[in-house]
Amino acid sequence: MIVFLCAAEALFFAFGFISMHNGNKYLLYDLERLRSGIKANLEGERNGSITGWPQAGQFPLRSHPSIELPVCGSAWGGSFTYSDDVSDAEAWPHVLSVALGCQVDNRGVDGFGVDQTLLHYKEHTGDERFVILGLVEPMITVNQVSSWTFVSLGLDKQPRANKPFFTLNADRLQLILRPTADPTAIEQHYAKDEASKDWSVFEFPYSWSVSRAIYRKFTRVPFSNVSPASPSAAPQRQLAALLIAEMARLARDRNQRFVLLVIPRPEDVLNPHLLFRNVLDSLPAPIPELCTIDPADELRTIALKTPSGVMTKSGHYSAAGNAAIATAAARGLRACGLAS
């Protein structure tokens, strides 16, 4: 019996080891390796900003060709605001600046969800007339309710990094701050990460940990695969709506107009997800003086003319797509009385 059990454990160990080093589709991870990574990164944790990364004070504006005009607004969000894959002159905040005849600062940060964008804006001290939140679907699911530990994976497909995130507590926002630079505190932070529930520790007895991982693989939809347009993502949409409302409230307190630019993913331009576009339906009351801009028409026009000319290889917008977003933003700002 002992020989049989040892042989079985050896087989499960081999299965798990091969899986982890061959795409890791069963989401197994080495706890000791994660703990070693935590300890090795403690100095970075001590210096990290409230938003999670990079270090404090390292959020420079994206440089654009100078138009030598006063600042009238700022654009916030993740990579779709930063405008990956296009030149400085082609990013939509700069194209919008040229169209308006005043500078719209590009304060997008790659990888930021609505949660980190809100925290980033809270640290801001500018006095521009309006602030634009460039909202894209990924910003309201895994990007805002996960620490990224279990969704932003390296080439080795193992967990890494951490950031703050918000949860819902009796329909109110609750911020789960970055933990202190202590290994135990960081592990406890990970335990609050919704995405961690998709993962299984690879440890003895290997038969149990591998069997649990296989069971999870075939009985539940991974947290990171839930679309914002899915009814099961209702809590994420509610959380996103509350975060947007909080950013709008903060803008009002600063005498700035809040603008929500609802940007579809490039692959959804011709078939937008209505539940994403109507994310604010989850709010109990409308946001006062909200300026909402939907660039779907401008993007659809470009996509119908050149279907392959909207999206880049990384899934972001091309120069033509950025130009369409800027055109829509200028149209919407004028309709809201924020530009002439």
Side-chain angles (χ1 to χ4, degrees):
M1 178 63 73
I2 294 176
V3 173
F4 173 79
L5 291 176
C6 289
E9 283 298 305
L11 287 173
F12 277 105
F13 173 83
F15 178 91
F17 182 85
I18 293 172
S19 175
M20 289 172 64
H21 294 84
N22 190 29
N24 202 12
K25 66 179 181 179
Y26 294 101
L27 302 182
L28 290 156
Y29 72 97
D30 184 338
L31 181 58
E32 290 306 315
R33 180 175 178 178
L34 180 59
R35 286 172 173 168
S36 296
I38 289 172
K39 292 178 181 178
N41 194 43
L42 285 180
E43 187 61 31
E45 295 292 347
R46 292 188 184 99
N47 296 326
S49 76
I50 188 175
T51 59
W53 78 81
Q55 293 185 1
Q58 293 184 354
F59 293 109
L61 292 172
R62 179 168 185 180
S63 60
H64 294 299
S66 174
I67 56 176
E68 297 183 354
L69 291 170
V71 174
C72 57
S74 54
W76 301 77
S79 59
F80 282 86
T81 295
Y82 185 84
S83 304
D84 283 9
D85 299 343
V86 299
S87 69
D88 292 344
E90 294 168 328
W92 68 260
H94 176 70
V95 180
L96 175 62
S97 299
V98 175
L100 298 181
C102 60
Q103 181 66 42
V104 178
D105 289 337
N106 187 340
R107 296 188 176 274
V109 180
D110 278 343
F112 269 19
V114 185
D115 53 356
Q116 288 172 292
T117 300
L118 171 60
L119 295 173
H120 187 195
Y121 178 60
K122 281 187 174 181
E123 294 185 323
H124 180 55
T125 56
D127 59 356
E128 56 267 34
R129 293 199 317 272
F130 59 84
V131 294
I132 304 172
L133 172 60
L135 184 70
V136 188
E137 282 196 28
M139 294 176 64
I140 72 172
T141 51
V142 296
N143 285 26
Q144 72 173 11
V145 290
S146 167
S147 71
W148 280 68
T149 302
F150 294 94
V151 294
S152 179
L153 305 179
L155 296 177
D156 58 1
K157 301 299 181 183
Q158 289 293 293
R160 63 181 176 85
N162 78 71
K163 75 175 186 71
F165 54 94
F166 287 84
T167 61
L168 287 174
N169 183 5
D171 295 332
R172 299 183 64 130
L173 291 174
Q174 180 177 350
L175 174 61
I176 308 299
L177 286 167
R178 281 173 64 95
T180 58
D182 172 79
T184 300
I186 292 172
E187 277 198 51
Q188 292 173 347
H189 178 76
Y190 290 162
K192 300 173 184 176
D193 185 345
E194 286 295 322
S196 70
K197 297 177 176 59
D198 294 335
W199 288 73
S200 300
V201 178
F202 184 55
E203 61 184 353
F204 185 83
Y206 302 109
S207 55
W208 167 245
S209 61
V210 170
S211 297
R212 179 175 55 186
I214 294 173
Y215 176 79
R216 287 177 170 175
K217 169 71 175 177
F218 292 105
T219 59
R220 60 199 301 259
V221 177
F223 172 80
S224 57
N225 287 355
V226 175
S227 166
S230 168
S232 62
Q236 286 96 309
R237 290 197 299 273
Q238 181 185 9
L239 182 58
L242 291 172
L243 289 166
I244 293 168
E246 176 61 16
M247 188 169 176
R249 183 201 61 78
L250 186 58
R252 289 197 305 275
D253 289 348
R254 296 173 174 180
N255 294 318
Q256 297 172 325
R257 282 288 300 276
F258 181 73
V259 181
L260 182 63
L261 179 62
V262 186
I263 305 172
R265 297 182 307 172
E267 57 266 40
D268 298 328
V269 165
L270 297 179
N271 186 27
H273 293 158
L274 293 180
L275 287 175
F276 164 63
R277 293 170 65 186
N278 300 335
V279 64
L280 295 183
D281 289 350
S282 301
L283 284 174
I287 297 175
E289 297 185 313
L290 173 65
C291 177
T292 303
I293 302 173
D294 185 350
D297 289 342
E298 286 84 354
L299 287 168
R300 188 181 300 111
T301 299
I302 299 295
L304 288 172
K305 289 181 179 178
T306 55
S308 61
V310 174
M311 185 167 65
T312 63
K313 290 183 179 179
S314 72
H316 292 89
Y317 278 105
S318 64
N322 272 266
I325 293 171
T327 298
R331 166 183 57 76
L333 290 170
R334 292 184 179 112
C336 291
L338 293 171
S340 57

